[in-house]
Amino acid sequence: MEYIRVTEENLESEHICCALSNNKDPQVLAKKEWMRERLKEGLVFLKGNIRGKCFIEYIPAEYAWVPVEADNYMHINCFWVSGSCKGKGYGNDLLEQCIEDAKAKGKSGLTVISSPKKMAFLSDPKYLAHKGFQVADTAEPYFSLLYLPFSEGAEVPQFKPCAKEPRTEGDGFTLYYSSGCPFTAKYVPMVEQYALSQGIPFQTIAVDTREKAQNSPAAWTNYALFYNGSYVTNEILSEKKFQKLYDELRGGKR
């Protein structure tokens, strides 16, 4: 497998794996615009030369859009190998190249946000544990900050206090989201419009700067949904899934 690194020069021509539509698709536009600025900050997007979900995206932790304290670490934003790409060693290749790059840049190790059990949009904890990642810290309700130190005695990263026990103000739904995941460009306005059409209180808060992300009230900043102040999910919802969730939160009442 040949691997391609997305750069400022080839950003327009290369697909970004998780959103495979053409460059006029709002999901692709939003993600690539977000990436354009992050590439200047050291973002690496490495992908297999195949039209599928086979990539790793990482950035120096000081520039990561997550509320973590991880001095001199490299943070993995997203690591996704699925479909026909699974079981062929591509994930191992991508992770090894990330490790080699981080070491060459003098980093102390890698960090990534996961969970005790595999969950949507979060990296697989079982695979990462097999590769030597350890739990550095946890945040409610189910987030784990995993780290792979390159030497003994490396400082242990941690979540910032603002994300440890996620809460927000107000009644109804409050959704924090960023363009770090392309799917938010499609599903955030879709669900917002659906909720308001059903008379369901719903407000969105765009996490549109690194400062906002690093001081977010939840560990996962691409998509953080709250209901009546309590954290609900990081899963990007369709209209159908949102309605099902709303019914469950209200005890099945319509």
Side-chain angles (χ1 to χ4, degrees), residues 225-252:
L225 185 64
F226 294 80
Y227 182 64
N228 290 342
S230 298
Y231 187 84
V232 178
T233 187
N234 73 294
E235 183 178 357
I236 298 175
L237 303 174
S238 63
E239 295 175 352
K240 184 177 180 180
K241 285 187 175 182
F242 173 75
Q243 184 64 62
K244 181 181 178 181
L245 174 64
Y246 182 56
D247 291 342
E248 290 173 351
L249 291 170
R250 299 182 70 240

Side-chain angles (χ1 to χ4, degrees), residues 216-227:
S216 168
W220 190 251
T221 61
N222 283 341
Y223 192 98
L225 185 64
F226 294 80
Y227 182 64

Side-chain angles (χ1 to χ4, degrees), residues 5-247:
R5 179 168 172 169
V6 176
T7 65
E8 292 183 66
E9 289 70 33
N10 66 13
L11 179 60
E12 290 302 318
S13 59
E14 293 292 342
H15 73 76
I16 53 173
C17 300
C18 43
L20 294 169
S21 302
N22 61 59
N23 281 339
K24 294 182 180 179
D25 184 284
Q27 298 174 99
V28 177
L29 286 170
K31 174 66 176 183
K32 286 193 172 183
E33 187 59 31
W34 183 87
M35 285 179 62
R36 194 181 312 280
E37 294 304 312
R38 308 291 79 74
L39 287 168
K40 300 172 185 176
E41 300 168 339
L43 177 79
V44 173
F45 191 102
L46 185 67
K47 68 191 187 79
N49 189 16
I50 185 172
R51 193 169 177 81
K53 297 176 178 66
C54 180
F55 71 98
I56 189 167
E57 176 186 309
Y58 57 93
I59 191 170
E62 63 266 29
Y63 294 110
W65 283 40
V66 288
V68 301
E69 295 176 346
D71 185 47
N72 202 45
Y73 275 79
M74 191 73 79
H75 182 77
I76 299 173
N77 289 336
C78 195
F79 183 20
W80 197 357
V81 178
S82 67
S84 62
C85 297
K86 292 187 69 174
K88 298 179 180 179
Y90 301 153
N92 293 339
D93 291 345
L94 291 168
L95 181 58
E96 186 56 38
Q97 291 194 52
C98 174
I99 292 171
E100 290 178 2
D101 188 21
K103 286 182 175 179
K105 292 171 178 173
K107 299 301 181 182
S108 301
L110 305 179
T111 58
V112 61
I113 294 176
S114 185
S115 52
K117 295 182 179 180
K118 181 69 177 77
M119 298 186 68
F121 297 95
L122 302 179
S123 294
D124 186 351
K126 185 177 180 180
Y127 171 80
L128 292 171
H130 175 69
K131 289 298 179 179
F133 282 78
Q134 309 166 48
V135 176
D137 199 4
T138 60
E140 295 295 331
Y142 48 70
F143 294 105
S144 300
L145 179 61
L146 305 183
Y147 79 121
L148 180 69
F150 295 155
S151 63
E152 291 186 13
E155 184 176 350
V156 180
Q158 58 185 342
F159 284 115
K160 288 188 174 182
C162 59
K164 294 282 286 182
E165 298 179 359
R167 292 285 304 176
T168 191
E169 300 296 328
D171 296 329
F173 287 95
T174 300
L175 173 61
Y176 289 78
Y177 72 96
S178 82
S179 296
C181 178
F183 300 130
T184 60
K186 175 181 178 179
Y187 289 100
V188 168
M190 177 189 294
V191 169
E192 180 181 24
Q193 292 169 18
Y194 174 78
L196 296 178
S197 74
Q198 300 299 306
I200 302 171
F202 195 105
Q203 66 168 329
T204 58
I205 298 176
V207 181
D208 51 11
T209 67
R210 183 174 72 248
E211 290 72 24
K212 287 182 182 179
Q214 292 183 351
N215 293 284
S216 168
W220 190 251
T221 61
N222 283 341
Y223 192 98
L225 185 64
F226 294 80
Y227 182 64
N228 290 342
S230 298
Y231 187 84
V232 178
T233 187
N234 73 294
E235 183 178 357
I236 298 175
L237 303 174
S238 63
E239 295 175 352
K240 184 177 180 180
K241 285 187 175 182
F242 173 75
Q243 184 64 62
K244 181 181 178 181
L245 174 64
Y246 182 56
D247 291 342

